[in-house]
Amino acid sequence: MEFSYLNPTQIEFGQGKISSISSLIPKDNKVLFIYGGGSIKRNGVYNQVINSLDGYTYFEFSGVEPNPTKETLDKAIKLAKNEDIDFILAVGGGSVIDGAKYVAHSYYYEGDGWDILEGKYISEKALPIGAVVTLAATGSESNTGSVITKAQTKEKRFFRSVHSFPKFAVMDPSVLKSLDDRQIKNGLVDAFVHTCEQYLTYKQGRIAQDNYAEGILRGLITLANSVDNRDDLWYANLLWLANQAFNGLIGAGVTQDWATHYIGHELTGLYGIDHARTLAIIQPNLFRVLKEHKAGKLLQMGENVFRIDTTDPDIIINKIEELYKSLDIDLKISDYTDDKEVKEKVIPLLIKHGFSKLGENQIVDTNIVEKVLDKSM
């Protein structure tokens, strides 16, 4: 168990914390305020942010999509360079924060920012970022990852860098009250699968990481079971659990999976399916194909998370799937697209992106992906 762990993001958690922005960004910084659509104007977040930026020189960039595209973000890069921006303030969910990371890294690069996603350019610095979280799901507000889509080619790619850590993250749970059921339920699934990707591999003897992951999973199940009776504390717990699921702590020194995510990314890129829903479609079927390899941790999850005493991993896989069904998630690719050539499109993209072998033990090859997709259709 060897690892380096760093998480320098300052968390400001609680109602009314958006006002703290004015003490977190240097007063002489020129700020690029990045956000998505009009939701932050409807729920009052926009006005709170503007009030906090009083006295700053700032520029606004809106229109970042739920799956942020290179094409949109390249416009933000141009604006940032033209105005000599010093700091990026991302206000939104994981997509906006991911997009801000792309802009921050591309700022000091004269080439095409997509080179970062393809590994052709490794940035040595990036603009500093602050985040105001309006959606609980990805944990992007205090991790190094970013997922960007290239609309032209329908590719969805991932990059991470130590320079991507936001300087601060403002997390006001009351903001989540304006989200619709679909967004809330997607967030629950996203956080659940993030945890599973680091936990459901094989027994590694990482006692702290296992116990913490199991606690997060039990917490998310509790919230899923009470999703129709949400109060202030419910939202606060979701916001914090989603952050803890993917801030690096439960994955420290742990061999991880992430095959579900890489397959899911291709489905989102091709068909625009919600990220969380691609995860819910793929994950149970991946476990079914790999149940002999994952049996040890599946049964451990059954005992410590679902409180089920069984020797049959299928029972645990079914419990995971039942959880997603209880959140009204459609679990077939055919629920989202009529395309009959999903395999013929997904598998070549995985190969192109260097993911011909996936999973914690690198046994998820194209044959296994084909079997998983067959079960998922």
Side-chain angles (χ1 to χ4, degrees):
M1 185 162 60
E2 297 179 358
F3 58 88
S4 296
Y5 179 72
L6 169 73
N7 199 313
T9 303
Q10 178 176 339
I11 303 291
E12 293 291 336
F13 192 101
Q15 190 166 343
K17 285 286 190 174
I18 293 175
S19 62
S20 66
I21 291 171
S22 59
S23 66
L24 298 170
I25 304 175
K27 293 293 184 182
D28 60 351
N29 277 196
K30 295 172 72 174
V31 179
L32 179 60
F33 167 21
I34 294 180
Y35 58 100
S39 62
I40 67 167
K41 293 185 176 180
R42 293 190 297 271
N43 63 18
V45 171
Y46 176 85
N47 286 338
Q48 292 182 65
V49 171
I50 293 300
N51 290 338
S52 296
L53 291 175
D54 184 39
Y56 287 89
T57 299
Y58 69 90
F59 303 86
E60 294 185 32
F61 183 88
S62 63
V64 178
E65 307 92 339
N67 290 296
T69 64
K70 165 197 178 329
E71 288 81 357
T72 295
L73 296 170
D74 283 347
K75 298 174 185 176
I77 295 167
K78 183 177 180 181
L79 174 60
K81 290 182 176 182
N82 286 344
E83 301 297 344
D84 296 320
I85 293 298
D86 301 300
F87 197 100
I88 298 177
L89 180 63
V91 181
S95 293
V96 173
I97 301 168
D98 283 7
K101 292 176 182 179
Y102 174 81
V103 174
H105 283 266
S106 301
Y107 182 81
Y108 293 108
Y109 181 50
E110 294 305 317
D112 187 347
W114 192 250
D115 290 346
I116 298 170
L117 280 299
E118 294 192 335
K120 296 177 180 177
Y121 170 69
I122 307 297
S123 58
E124 296 182 356
K125 61 179 178 177
L127 283 175
I129 300 167
V132 176
V133 184
T134 64
L135 182 69
T138 70
S140 186
E141 67 274 3
S142 64
N143 68 33
T144 61
S146 176
V147 181
I148 307 297
T149 297
K150 189 175 185 179
Q152 181 184 7
T153 57
K154 295 185 176 181
E155 294 176 83
K156 189 171 182 177
R157 303 296 302 274
F158 172 86
F159 83 96
R160 62 159 46 98
S161 166
V162 70
H163 305 298
S164 288
F165 277 116
K167 299 298 181 183
F168 65 82
V170 176
M171 306 176 71
D172 181 343
S174 67
V175 173
L176 304 186
K177 293 179 182 179
S178 65
L179 300 174
D180 61 31
D181 276 359
R182 186 184 185 98
Q183 292 170 306
I184 289 290
K185 291 173 180 179
N186 280 354
L188 280 166
V189 172
D190 205 359
F192 193 88
V193 179
H194 282 157
T195 309
C196 289
E197 295 278 35
Q198 300 162 85
Y199 168 75
L200 271 175
T201 55
Y202 56 88
K203 293 194 174 186
Q204 301 177 46
R206 311 300 196 251
I207 295 174
Q209 292 91 327
D210 273 4
N211 275 272
Y212 198 6
E214 289 163 358
I216 293 170
L217 293 169
R218 288 195 302 271
L220 291 167
I221 291 170
T222 297
L223 295 183
N225 291 337
S226 56
V227 71
D228 294 327
N229 298 292
R230 304 192 287 269
D231 58 14
D232 289 350
L233 192 56
W234 193 100
Y235 287 109
N237 278 313
L238 175 60
L239 191 58
W240 191 236
L241 284 167
N243 175 277
Q244 296 297 288
F246 200 20
N247 70 353
L249 191 56
I250 64 172
V254 173
T255 302
Q256 302 173 25
D257 186 346
W258 298 104
T260 293
H261 267 72
Y262 287 121
I263 298 169
H265 284 171
E266 305 301 353
L267 292 174
T268 297
L270 286 166
Y271 306 110
I273 307 170
D274 298 7
H275 171 61
R277 289 166 186 256
T278 68
L279 304 180
I281 293 167
I282 295 299
Q283 187 203 49
N285 293 316
L286 181 73
F287 290 165
R288 290 186 175 105
V289 174
L290 299 177
K291 65 182 176 182
E292 292 181 4
H293 299 276
K294 291 183 176 286
K297 286 305 279 286
L298 282 166
L299 297 178
Q300 180 179 324
M301 182 184 191
E303 180 179 358
N304 296 338
V305 176
F306 290 110
R307 308 302 192 194
I308 296 173
D309 183 11
T310 181
T311 58
D312 184 356
D314 276 317
I315 291 176
I316 310 308
I317 298 169
N318 291 340
K319 286 293 292 184
I320 295 170
E321 197 168 64
E322 287 169 13
L323 177 71
Y324 301 152
K325 288 179 180 177
S326 76
L327 295 170
D328 304 316
I329 307 291
D330 294 321
L331 296 177
K332 293 292 183 183
I333 297 171
S334 56
D335 293 323
Y336 303 90
T337 177
D338 294 328
D339 193 349
K340 305 300 182 185
E341 297 184 347
V342 173
K343 291 185 298 185
E344 291 77 8
K345 294 176 181 177
V346 168
I347 291 174
L349 282 172
L350 285 171
I351 294 170
K352 176 184 177 181
H353 298 153
F355 302 133
S356 56
K357 291 188 182 296
L358 296 168
E360 66 272 14
N361 46 20
Q362 297 292 288
I363 65 168
V364 181
D365 58 15
T366 54
N367 290 327
I368 287 180
V369 172
E370 184 172 2
K371 291 177 183 177
V372 172
L373 290 172
D374 281 336
K375 289 180 177 291
S376 303
M377 288 301 296

